[in-house]
Amino acid sequence: MQTDSNTKTDLTFEDFKSQVINDYKIAVTSRECSLLGRREVLTGKAKFGIFGDGKEIPQLAWAKVFKNGDFRSGYYRDQTFMMAIGELTIEQFFAGLYGTTDINLEPMSAGRQMGGHYGTHSLDENSDWKNLTKQKNSSADISPTAGQMPRLLGLAQASKIYRNVEGIDTTNFSNKGNEIAWGTIGNASTSEGLFFETINAAGVLQVPMVINVWDDEYGISVHAKHQTTKENISEILKGFQRDEEQNGYEILRVNGWDYPALIETYQKAEYIARNEHVPVMIHVQELTQPQGHSTSGSHERYKSKERLEWEAEFDCIAQMKIWMISNNIANQEELDAIDKSIKKEVVVGKKAAWNNYLNPIKSEQQDAINILTELAESSSNQVFINKILNDLKEIAEPIRKDMASAVRKALRYVVSEESVAKNNAQHWVNTYMLSVQPKYSSHLHSASKHAAIHIDEVLPTYDNDAEDVDGRLIIRDNFDAIFNNYPEALVFGEDAGNIGDVNQGLEGLQEKYGELRIADAGIREATILGQGIGMAMRGLRPIAEIQYLDYILYALQIMSDDLATLQYRTKGRQKAPLIVRTRGHRLEGIWHSGSQLGGVINLIRGIHVLVPRNMTKAAGFYNTLLESDEPALIIECLNGYRLKEKMPNNIGEFKTPVGVVETVKEGTDITLVSYGSTLRIVEQTARELLEVGIDAEIIDVQSLLPFDLKHDIVKSVAKTNRLMVIDEDVPGGASAYILNEILNTQNAFQHLDSQPKTLAAQPHRPAYGTDGDYFSKPSAEDIFEAVYEVMHEANPSDYPKLR
């Protein structure tokens, strides 16, 4: 079922009547899904429910003006809209509620997100782009309140880029930049900083973005008087209203129960945004929430009797009924018949979805029963296995945990036995886990041929008389090659445009490539990330610059909840190959000191984290990633821009491999592992250690996520039999992660003759000044003494105690 987008005024009355009745059917279908969905949660068939009841009619009006190529960035109340554009069926609604893992049955997330989170497929089964201009698009939802807003900005900015930048192949992505990015947010979530940051940025950028604010006066149980100044978001944003002299927003207000006014309002908003490329906010007021916030509680606990009575009267579907009857579109009897028919249709769809979910699991249950029956008959512990077997048989509606748990527990009772049945049970469990685990764990990264780990290294090459230059010139010239070779590439960030970034790595490029491709941005890290995510989702290749690594913390929620999970939560049907550029390491002082990696690497799994030691390595990473389809964070060494490096003669062509370490010095006595600026101190110290007879092997990690895919570090440890990880992060930070990878993933412990060591910074930010750095982070003397102490413990006669 889908809305008819033909909203022209020259329709016959019969055509108009047919459209209205169709809209009513969609609204009632959505409402019945919400009501029945809540009951499914309360009966235990579904885990949790959050629904779009009360927002049906404005979403119908919105769907009428949503065109092919447009994008939605919404939150978990937009089910009616998705039904109205033909992207959500009754069966799919309930499949999402049950957590069905078959992406053909549950196309939104294959059961990885709870129901209410919607998205369309931008990629085919081979991870190649579909033609986004031929379909209605929804970026995959996330739950964190207002988290959808930064991405919305980028989705809208892509239209501006496609409209104004020449040379980009727009075939699958845009029709002359005519697409609108539509966002939705609840009134309470407009209190979030991400909302205000996005609103401001869109007003500055003047992009075709329409934000729908669904206002039902509450945020869970908290009334608007505790949420918003004047209890009215459009009232306090009046200063953003555009006028004849200044750019800004078009701000519209409409009541959410007024069907004809909603249609008129959305037609106006669409015209302004699509034709004038002006952001619009539609404040949809006087909405209701018939079932409260979610299945976790009842709204009768916090709403007054008067409010509940008002909500019953001004329920948008109830008001639409009144309007339809008064305008002779349908009578009460006809509407009652429609209601009754749709109730049956929703029940049928619900049952079909439940059977589709349950039947494969029931089949797996029978397989497990057969395995346990055979195992019990052959075991001396039959009585105990039969207890597990009978318990499994009694489960009428099993989940996969039941089978896996039952057979795994039963194997404990035959651990000392030998039988064909035991072998069959072991094989069944191993096979079952291998087949089931990917349903819940695949696609953290790209599964396509374009994955970064598939891109081979290309070494930099040099002329015989290659000049020693500042590292910044290598990164600058490489960016020049990138923007020349990739018309769809662009970079933006604080000071990135006019002055060519604070370290001159983009020097002169804005003049050459224009202000849209080499762009300055305000001090607003979260929406810089959001710009990148949204544009990458629409086929562009953005590089979002965060001036210093510390500032990543402002954008960490967006990176963690949105960008890092995108491929996972869509099971590979959406991607955003965004490159996040920043700089850090060894800066003196509490701020911009680059010591957050222990947190970063554990919060953004799904994004590659790359830590090149110099600008040639960094440039190679950019070249690699632009051939891939994955997001990454590249941390350039802040103190490396003025250090001399040889200028390669294959700028723009050499590639640094992702997930591969480099041995920068071979040795026999101990393996020293580090990265970034600290690696240079390790290299200096290794030369000093040679003076006392200690020959250290030095390995540059280069890539924290993924980490040493070839397991080269364990090969080094097998040779030296000793290991030290040196890092400028706090104790237990990145050094602990690295040590865990080497010991537990690569099993290096079996080769060690000495205790593995980590040498990290002090458990605080570094103090100001050179002395602050020396006494806060590992120094050359710290490294020397730590390595010497390891050798002293192993051979005190050759290495007497130093101090």
Side-chain angles (χ1 to χ4, degrees):
M1 191 179 295
Q2 187 173 343
T3 60
D4 188 336
S5 60
N6 184 357
T7 53
K8 295 179 181 178
T9 56
D10 57 353
L11 291 173
T12 67
F13 179 76
E14 287 304 314
D15 289 338
F16 174 67
K17 176 181 175 179
S18 177
Q19 282 190 23
V20 174
I21 291 175
N22 184 61
D23 282 353
Y24 177 77
K25 289 179 178 179
I26 296 171
V28 174
T29 300
S30 179
R31 177 65 61 86
E32 288 300 320
C33 284
S34 295
L35 296 173
L36 189 52
R38 182 181 180 88
R39 288 199 288 273
E40 291 297 277
V41 173
L42 297 180
T43 59
K45 283 187 175 179
K47 198 74 175 178
F48 182 78
I50 195 160
F51 307 110
D53 47 306
K55 282 72 179 176
E56 293 91 351
I57 306 308
Q59 291 182 23
L60 291 169
W62 169 24
K64 288 180 179 296
V65 295
F66 192 90
K67 300 290 195 294
N68 284 346
D70 285 359
F71 260 87
R72 165 189 169 273
S73 181
Y75 85 135
Y76 40 73
R77 302 287 185 197
D78 295 343
Q79 70 197 47
T80 308
F81 170 78
M82 294 298 290
M83 289 179 172
I85 65 169
E87 292 295 335
L88 180 67
T89 66
I90 296 170
E91 289 85 352
Q92 289 167 350
F93 173 89
F94 285 101
L97 193 65
Y98 301 139
T100 303
T101 57
D102 186 339
I103 199 165
N104 296 307
L105 299 174
E106 203 284 270
M108 305 305 156
S109 75
R112 296 180 177 191
Q113 293 208 90
M114 68 179 184
H117 294 77
Y118 303 113
T120 53
H121 293 182
S122 300
L123 310 176
D124 62 22
E125 60 275 7
N126 298 316
S127 298
D128 293 322
W129 289 106
K130 299 171 70 176
N131 190 331
L132 305 185
T133 68
K134 301 297 185 183
Q135 63 181 42
K136 295 177 171 64
N137 303 288
S138 174
S139 58
D141 293 339
I142 57 175
S143 280
T145 52
Q148 72 276 20
M149 291 294 294
R151 179 205 325 146
L152 172 65
L153 177 67
L155 291 169
Q157 189 181 3
S159 291
K160 184 173 182 177
I161 298 298
Y162 282 126
R163 177 171 286 191
N164 294 288
V165 175
E166 296 181 356
I168 303 174
D169 181 1
T170 64
T171 304
N172 289 326
F173 305 110
S174 182
N175 177 21
K176 300 177 181 179
N178 291 327
E179 302 80 20
I180 297 174
W182 301 81
T184 65
I185 191 169
N187 57 296
S189 294
T190 63
S191 301
E192 293 277 13
L194 293 175
F195 172 81
F196 282 96
E197 190 173 317
T198 304
I199 289 293
N200 180 61
V204 170
L205 292 171
Q206 288 292 285
V207 291
M209 178 182 102
V210 181
I211 179 68
N212 304 296
V213 179
W214 306 141
D215 190 347
D216 55 29
E217 285 197 20
Y218 286 85
I220 306 182
S221 67
V222 180
H223 190 268
K225 66 184 178 183
H226 302 297
Q227 305 272 6
T228 309
T229 303
K230 299 183 179 181
E231 302 180 28
N232 189 313
I233 189 63
S234 60
E235 184 69 20
I236 65 174
L237 292 179
K238 275 184 176 179
F240 284 86
Q241 175 66 51
R242 64 178 182 154
D243 56 35
E244 293 181 358
E245 297 180 356
Q246 293 181 308
N247 288 330
Y249 275 74
E250 189 66 33
I251 300 177
L252 308 173
R253 297 185 190 180
V254 63
N255 289 329
W257 47 265
D258 192 335
Y259 177 75
L262 284 161
I263 292 175
E264 182 181 353
T265 300
Y266 275 90
Q267 288 175 338
K268 180 178 181 180
E270 184 224 6
Y271 180 86
I272 294 169
R274 201 177 303 280
N275 293 284
E276 301 179 38
H277 266 215
V278 171
V280 181
M281 187 180 77
I282 305 176
H283 185 186
V284 184
Q285 300 174 286
E286 296 194 4
L287 287 169
T288 66
Q289 210 164 64
Q291 298 185 113
H293 174 74
S294 70
T295 56
S296 62
S298 171
H299 62 156
E300 283 84 357
R301 292 182 299 160
Y302 53 85
K303 290 179 181 176
S304 67
K305 177 184 176 183
E306 292 74 19
R307 172 68 190 187
L308 292 170
E309 289 174 349
W310 180 89
E311 288 198 8
E313 180 181 357
F314 282 89
D315 178 279
C316 60
I317 294 179
Q319 286 292 314
M320 185 178 182
K321 280 186 178 181
I322 294 171
W323 178 83
M324 291 173 71
I325 293 169
S326 64
N327 285 274
N328 297 319
I329 293 171
N331 58 42
Q332 186 66 55
E333 184 176 304
E334 291 170 331
L335 295 178
D336 289 344
I338 290 172
D339 293 352
K340 185 177 180 180
S341 173
I342 287 175
K343 281 179 184 288
K344 292 180 180 179
E345 185 180 348
V346 171
V347 169
V348 169
K350 186 267 297 183
K351 289 180 178 178
W354 179 247
N355 288 333
N356 287 335
Y357 165 75
L358 189 61
N359 287 342
I361 301 178
K362 294 280 283 185
S363 177
E364 294 164 19
Q365 181 190 31
Q366 187 57 53
D367 291 341
I369 288 170
N370 295 339
I371 286 291
L372 289 173
T373 301
E374 181 185 18
L375 189 65
E377 291 173 352
S378 68
S379 174
S380 59
N381 286 311
Q382 183 178 30
V383 63
F384 301 106
I385 298 173
N386 275 333
K387 173 66 168 63
I388 296 172
L389 172 61
N390 292 331
D391 288 345
L392 182 60
K393 287 179 176 179
E394 290 176 3
I395 301 174
E397 296 173 346
I399 59 177
R400 291 191 167 97
K401 171 190 170 185
D402 297 323
M403 284 73 77
S405 176
V407 182
R408 292 169 79 180
K409 286 181 177 179
L411 282 171
R412 301 173 190 175
Y413 292 105
V414 295
V415 67
S416 299
E417 300 176 6
E418 292 297 332
S419 68
V420 172
K422 175 186 175 180
N423 294 337
N424 290 341
Q426 290 173 327
H427 177 74
W428 187 90
V429 168
N430 293 336
T431 302
Y432 190 66
M433 296 300 289
L434 285 173
S435 66
V436 168
Q437 192 67 54
K439 298 178 185 294
Y440 306 96
S441 300
S442 70
H443 291 86
L444 179 61
H445 296 284
S446 172
S448 79
K449 61 186 177 181
H450 307 295
I453 61 173
H454 298 325
I455 298 173
D456 294 331
E457 179 178 20
V458 176
L459 292 170
T461 56
Y462 300 90
D463 295 330
N464 291 332
D465 58 348
E467 184 181 0
D468 286 322
V469 299
D470 288 347
R472 75 170 186 88
L473 297 180
I474 295 173
I475 205 83
R476 181 201 65 184
D477 290 358
N478 196 75
F479 276 133
D480 189 8
I482 284 172
F483 296 123
N484 183 63
N485 295 334
Y486 294 91
E488 66 274 21
L490 63 159
V491 65
F492 44 93
E494 298 159 18
D495 300 309
N498 184 44
I499 69 169
D501 90 39
V502 292
N503 298 101
Q504 299 290 279
L506 298 167
E507 179 188 25
L509 298 186
Q510 185 180 80
E511 184 178 355
K512 186 172 183 179
Y513 296 103
E515 293 184 2
L516 286 177
R517 293 188 67 196
I518 318 294
D520 284 308
I523 301 176
R524 46 174 183 79
E525 286 75 17
T527 46
I528 289 173
L529 252 296
Q531 286 176 251
I533 295 170
M535 286 193 281
M537 293 184 79
R538 291 191 58 191
L540 295 170
R541 294 310 308 262
I543 301 171
E545 179 168 318
I546 304 299
Q547 195 162 93
Y548 298 110
L549 180 59
D550 291 60
Y551 296 169
I552 285 286
L553 299 184
Y554 285 98
L556 195 55
Q557 187 262 321
I558 299 302
M559 294 181 71
S560 179
D561 290 330
D562 196 353
L563 181 60
T565 68
L566 180 60
Q567 293 230 25
Y568 172 76
R569 72 179 190 271
T570 63
K571 203 173 184 180
R573 295 307 172 93
Q574 290 188 6
K575 63 183 176 183
L578 166 65
I579 300 174
V580 183
R581 180 195 185 204
T582 191
R583 50 193 65 81
H585 307 314
R586 304 302 301 204
L587 185 63
E588 301 161 1
I590 291 177
W591 315 118
H592 322 325
S593 55
S595 58
Q596 302 86 29
L597 278 169
V600 169
I601 59 177
N602 287 296
L603 289 168
I604 63 171
R605 300 296 173 93
I607 300 174
H608 296 321
V609 177
L610 310 175
V611 283
R613 68 179 182 271
N614 58 37
M615 296 305 150
T616 303
K617 291 289 185 179
F621 275 135
Y622 288 108
N623 298 336
T624 296
L625 289 166
L626 282 164
E627 289 193 10
S628 83
D629 62 355
E630 296 185 273
L633 169 66
I634 299 179
I635 305 168
E636 298 169 13
C637 291
L638 186 55
N639 58 5
Y641 296 104
R642 301 296 175 183
L643 296 180
K644 300 298 183 182
E645 301 179 41
K646 295 287 186 185
M647 174 63 80
N649 60 17
N650 58 340
I651 286 286
E653 299 174 5
F654 59 86
K655 301 179 184 70
T656 308
V658 169
V660 178
V661 303
E662 181 180 353
T663 301
V664 298
K665 176 191 174 300
E666 293 192 354
T668 57
D669 293 325
I670 187 170
T671 300
L672 305 181
V673 178
S674 191
Y675 62 88
S677 294
T678 301
L679 191 89
R680 290 195 288 271
I681 303 174
V682 173
E683 289 183 277
Q684 171 194 333
T685 306
R687 291 190 291 270
E688 297 171 0
L689 286 165
L690 282 171
E691 297 173 4
V692 295
I694 301 173
D695 187 10
E697 183 147 299
I698 302 173
I699 294 181
D700 180 6
V701 168
Q702 298 196 109
S703 171
L704 287 169
L705 293 176
F707 183 85
D708 190 11
L709 296 174
K710 296 180 180 180
H711 289 193
D712 287 329
I713 296 178
V714 71
K715 299 169 190 173
S716 172
V717 176
K719 177 176 64 172
T720 67
N721 307 120
R722 295 179 181 87
L723 170 67
M724 181 175 293
V725 178
I726 301 139
D727 178 40
E728 64 173 288
D729 202 354
V730 297
S735 59
Y737 160 78
I738 294 170
L739 189 64
N740 177 71
E741 287 291 314
I742 298 170
L743 295 184
N744 292 328
T745 302
Q746 300 187 14
N747 296 319
F749 68 90
Q750 62 186 318
H751 302 295
L752 291 170
D753 291 338
S754 298
Q755 178 185 349
K757 297 284 188 177
T758 60
L759 180 60
Q762 296 294 319
H764 55 71
R765 297 289 184 92
Y768 175 67
T770 301
D771 278 348
D773 176 75
Y774 184 87
F775 290 101
S776 299
K777 293 187 175 183
S779 66
E781 288 72 37
D782 292 332
I783 298 168
F784 184 100
E785 292 175 1
V787 173
Y788 188 93
E789 180 64 22
V790 171
M791 301 306 293
H792 164 72
E793 291 176 359
N795 191 347
S797 61
D798 287 353
Y799 303 100
K801 192 166 183 65
L802 193 61
R803 69 179 177 93

